Amino acid sequence: MSLELPTLPYEATALEPHISANTLSFHHGKHHQAYVNNANNLIKGTDLENATVEQIIKTTAGDAQKVGLFNNAAQVWNHSFYWNCMQPNGGGVATGAIAQKIDEDFGSFDAFVTEFKNAAATQFGSGWAWLVLDGGKLKVVKTANADTPLAHGFKALLTVDVWEHAYYLDYQNRRPDYVDTFLNHLVNWDFVNANLVA
Ligand code: MN3
């Protein structure tokens, strides 16, 4: 059983005008698909051939001989997670249990937003900004390139992809504008809440 590209949880046009169908189609159909293909080629005929993507990530994390497989498998997982972090008419102030938890652990929703935007803006080059659970406490972290919270014992709750391919067609070099838009118009807080109790 090989890894498969998940279908997007919405139409390619669903996040317009914030993320164009052009960006979403390339990002999902070309970039995400390439990570799936690369990972499948690398596990073919090995003892990881029937492993889940989570098992592949945990098995290869930190293994210098398996950096290529780790990178591609982590990108498969990160992107599948990222699609679900967004929805049409999303974003704005957190709702549900995560809202209270954010107030408790960051002091206020605004304090969380400031920290999340800062992590996304200061990730040098390609990577991801995340809201994670670290031993029951919320934390904002950033990861470089393909690196993922799964490899560090954190539970991922929310992520924004800050690789240029995620925003360059729509925002060019204006990464902070893309992250603002993500927070104001796209975040799927129901998904974040589901992750919190999963
Ligand atoms: Mn990406």
Side-chain angles (χ1 to χ4, degrees):
M1 196 193 80
S2 52
L3 304 180
E4 284 179 14
L5 182 71
T7 53
L8 283 174
Y10 31 71
E11 296 297 316
T13 54
L15 305 183
E16 292 190 330
H18 310 300
I19 293 180
S20 66
N22 197 26
T23 290
L24 212 50
S25 301
F26 270 92
H27 200 177
H28 176 254
K30 302 293 183 188
H31 292 275
H32 197 180
Q33 180 73 66
Y35 298 127
V36 170
N37 294 346
N38 292 341
N40 281 335
N41 286 334
L42 289 164
I43 58 175
K44 205 172 181 180
T46 76
D47 54 3
L48 289 172
E49 188 161 22
N50 296 309
T52 65
V53 66
E54 290 87 355
Q55 287 167 339
I56 296 169
I57 290 167
K58 286 175 182 167
T59 304
T60 59
D63 184 339
Q65 305 298 316
K66 295 191 173 155
V67 172
L69 177 53
F70 173 82
N71 284 341
N72 282 285
Q75 284 294 75
V76 170
W77 191 91
N78 291 344
H79 284 89
S80 299
F81 190 82
Y82 168 66
W83 308 133
N84 284 296
C85 287
M86 299 185 287
Q87 66 175 4
N89 303 310
V93 178
T95 54
I98 193 68
Q100 191 184 342
K101 182 85 176 137
I102 284 174
D103 284 344
E104 285 168 13
D105 291 354
F106 291 97
S108 68
F109 183 73
D110 287 349
F112 154 71
V113 165
T114 299
E115 208 173 312
F116 191 83
K117 281 185 188 175
N118 185 55
T122 60
Q123 172 51 43
F124 186 78
S126 297
W128 303 79
W130 304 84
L131 174 65
V132 302
L133 261 183
D134 176 14
K137 200 165 161 64
L138 294 179
K139 196 191 242 185
V140 167
V141 297
K142 55 187 177 182
T143 60
N145 299 317
D147 198 14
T148 183
L150 266 72
H152 301 278
F154 300 141
K155 184 197 241 187
L157 303 180
L158 173 71
T159 195
V160 64
D161 185 345
V162 297
W163 285 58
E164 281 188 346
H165 66 223
Y167 61 88
Y168 207 85
L169 294 176
D170 298 330
Y171 297 86
Q172 292 76 50
N173 62 324
R174 294 175 286 114
R175 186 193 288 184
D177 290 354
Y178 155 69
V179 175
D180 274 355
T181 301
F182 175 86
L183 288 165
N184 291 330
H185 299 287
L186 296 173
V187 174
N188 182 344
W189 287 112
D190 291 340
F191 179 67
V192 181
N193 275 302
N195 293 328
L196 185 64
V197 297

